[in-house]
Amino acid sequence: MGTRKHVVYWHDTEGVTPEPALRSNVDCDVAVVGGGYTGLWAAHFLKEAAPALDIRVVESQYSGYGASGRADGFVTPTIGKDIQALVQEFGTRRALEASQAVGRSILEIGRFLRRNKIDAEYEANDYLMVATDAAQLRRLREDRELASRIAGREQPDILSAAQAQSVISSPAVLGAMRTGGALVNPFKLVRGLARVVKERGVTVYENTPVLQVLPGARPTVVAPGGRITADKVIIAANAHQFTFAPFRNRTVPIWSYAMVSEPLTDAQLGRVEWAGREGMVEAKTFLTCARFTADNRLMFAGGPALYFMGRDMRRRRMNDQRAYRALHEEFQRFFPMWGDVEFTYAYGGTIDVTRDYAPHFGRLPGTNVFYGYGFNGNGIAATHTGGKVLRDLVLGKDSEYSRLLYVDDQHRKQRSFPPEPLLYIGARATTRLMEWKESRP
């Protein structure tokens, strides 16, 4: 299997000079905890709507170090994990409104990159949701029927095995459904977004871990080198959301893994029909996905969804060899003709999983602390939409975004996970249950 670097591939595609850390006590209009997609899009849209606002973003490492810079780079219209559960809970109309908003975000991200001259390797190639067994074919049919009902019009037919393999010639693929979307270098996107917000006058502090957020009429963000007291505070910490007391049992960090090869040779590329460079996603909850990078490296990602006792997010978990063995076995199943492809990068990261597999946005009762989290591994487009949600919540605007199903209200509460060790036992049992359920034809 060769020698692999346990380094995030995307992080090697662009250099980083971190911004200075917070070293004093400051006062501002809006403080944002988290320098990933959610926090930066919120800062961007707030500054766009109200240029006079003094906005400060606080990031524990540097923008793009966490989930935003480790994502697989699929820009999809997915909200959370399960569209069927979303429709069941919120109804067809509200699911359609949210799906359309996230769909617009796919296009708007492309326009944002072009307008601001950010080369984030954006490719509007769509992606293929593929089935490799009878159970996944059934899921494709159900998803197509549901998508037709939500949209009020028939969706494209499911591709047969022959049709799907003419797009991506994997012998494992038995059928597929083409879905609108794009591919991007997620690290270059988040770094470019950080540059744009700084140019607009937003202050970004990096290498500034937040110790706590003190609520109140004017909440305070406490860091080792200083404090920020603000009229409004946004907590957008993704998989680290649970480290803040009000969200302690609201999210669980689940590990996802990826392998990236060296650039494929012309001979290697010629063995697989994949001319459209679409993303490929397997039709199951704990999915496997594959894509090309801009320089024709192959990324193969997903594999086992691992949870470690005590919400363990230490870096050593990135080196879990069980995950890479399982991922490589899946790769061989999909692409046996690529037996000579060597993966030189192997790494992992955590996604923020919520109890209902859907995003949660809102305002903590009795405070001026706002929040947004819960993308369940599908956040590149959805965080762009989420930035608009947070903008309107912070500005107190009643809008199509502040009324999206993202937002918690009296009818929708944040559901809690149990404490340890029940959480660990439950996470393992849920994974096995999902695998069993999705294996049924």
Side-chain angles (χ1 to χ4, degrees), residues 214-230:
L214 304 176
R218 298 199 78 231
T220 300
V221 175
V222 182
R227 297 184 172 210
I228 303 176
T229 300

Side-chain angles (χ1 to χ4, degrees), residues 251-326:
T251 67
V252 171
I254 298 294
W255 281 81
S256 181
Y257 295 86
M259 302 187 304
V260 179
S261 74
E262 286 298 291
L264 301 191
T265 65
D266 289 343
Q268 290 170 325
L269 289 168
R271 289 182 215 146
V272 175
E273 180 65 39
W274 202 339
R277 298 175 56 85
E278 299 87 352
M280 187 195 79
V281 178
E282 192 175 6
K284 61 179 184 179
T285 299
F286 302 121
L287 55 81
T288 298
C289 62
R291 58 161 294 184
F292 289 118
T293 64
D295 60 350
N296 286 331
R297 297 171 189 266
L298 180 70
M299 167 180 280
F300 200 83
L306 300 181
Y307 172 75
F308 298 100
M309 176 77 83
R311 293 181 168 86
D312 188 353
M313 298 171 66
R314 286 175 293 176
R315 181 181 171 82
R316 70 185 183 90
R317 296 301 186 188
M318 194 163 80
N319 305 336
D320 194 291
Q321 294 305 307
R322 293 173 302 166
Y324 301 122
R325 283 194 296 270

Side-chain angles (χ1 to χ4, degrees), residues 79-142:
I79 302 168
K81 273 288 184 189
D82 191 344
I83 185 63
Q84 298 189 32
L86 214 62
V87 171
Q88 185 175 352
E89 180 173 356
F90 297 103
T92 301
R93 180 184 61 80
R94 296 199 71 198
L96 174 62
E97 291 170 350
S99 296
Q100 289 176 332
V102 177
R104 289 193 299 272
S105 283
I106 296 173
L107 302 175
E108 290 176 14
I109 289 170
R111 295 188 195 113
F112 171 84
L113 293 171
R114 291 189 295 273
R115 186 168 59 249
N116 291 285
K117 296 180 172 55
I118 299 169
D119 181 13
E121 299 159 12
Y122 183 91
E123 300 180 63
N125 296 341
D126 296 344
Y127 71 100
L128 236 56
M129 181 77 74
V130 303
T132 64
D133 58 30
Q136 292 176 15
L137 284 170
R138 172 177 53 82
R139 177 170 179 172
L140 284 185
R141 289 192 294 269
E142 291 174 350

Side-chain angles (χ1 to χ4, degrees), residues 19-26 56 58 203 205-209 223-228:
E19 294 295 319
L22 176 67
R23 295 299 182 200
S24 62
N25 296 336
V26 299
R56 313 283 177 121
V58 183
T203 301
Y205 301 105
E206 295 183 321
N207 291 320
T208 303
R227 297 184 172 210
I228 303 176

Side-chain angles (χ1 to χ4, degrees), residues 71-72 74 76 80-81 238 287 351-353 374-380:
D72 302 324
F74 287 71
T76 72
K81 273 288 184 189
N238 197 273
L287 55 81
I351 60 177
D352 59 338
V353 172
F375 297 100
N376 295 272
N378 291 295
I380 297 182

